[in-house]
Every structure is written in structure tokens, then in C-alpha cells.
Amino acid sequence: MISVLGYELSRATELLEAQGYAVTCVETRSRKGVDGSEKRVIRQRISDGQAELVFAVFKTECENGG
């Protein structure tokens, strides 16, 4: 079984589909919310040709550029 934890969501989906899995994506978020731009896989569940990916949006760039 391939592990895609921490991967960017589109890349994780691409890798799993290439191996023949049907992929479902579910978003989770904090109550505060994050004004981010990167969707990263934080949980995966794979069984019987199905893959469920739980992802969260992360802010990976500094606001002040440094």
C-alpha cells in the first residue's frame, strides 16, 4: 500500500489513481479557519480498491515575505 500522507492533494490523487484506486477526498478544517493555499493529505484510508483522503488547507508562505 502506498502512503501519500503529507502529499499535496492533487499529486496524492494522481498517484493513487495510477495504481487503480477510486479516490474520494474529504476536507477538514479548524474552527478558526486558515487562509492558506496548499491542500495536504492528513489521513488516508485504503481498502477494496477505494481510497479516502482527508485533507486540510495549509498556509505555507509568510505574510511579510521573510
Side-chain angles (χ1 to χ4, degrees):
M1 174 174 74
I2 184 172
S3 175
V4 293
L5 293 176
Y7 279 56
E8 199 279 321
L9 182 62
S10 62
R11 180 67 177 143
T13 301
E14 179 183 299
L15 288 170
L16 290 168
E17 287 177 343
Q19 291 196 357
Y21 291 101
V23 180
T24 303
C25 301
V26 179
E27 183 177 7
T28 188
R29 60 179 75 184
S30 70
R31 291 182 187 192
K32 287 183 175 181
V34 173
D35 186 25
S37 61
E38 236 177 273
K39 297 176 182 176
R40 295 276 175 174
V41 177
I42 61 169
R43 185 180 313 137
Q44 72 178 38
R45 186 177 314 157
I46 298 177
S47 67
D48 300 328
Q50 301 284 325
E52 180 184 80
L53 301 178
V54 178
F55 70 93
V57 175
F58 286 84
K59 184 174 186 177
T60 57
E61 296 180 12
C62 295
E63 289 179 11
N64 62 7

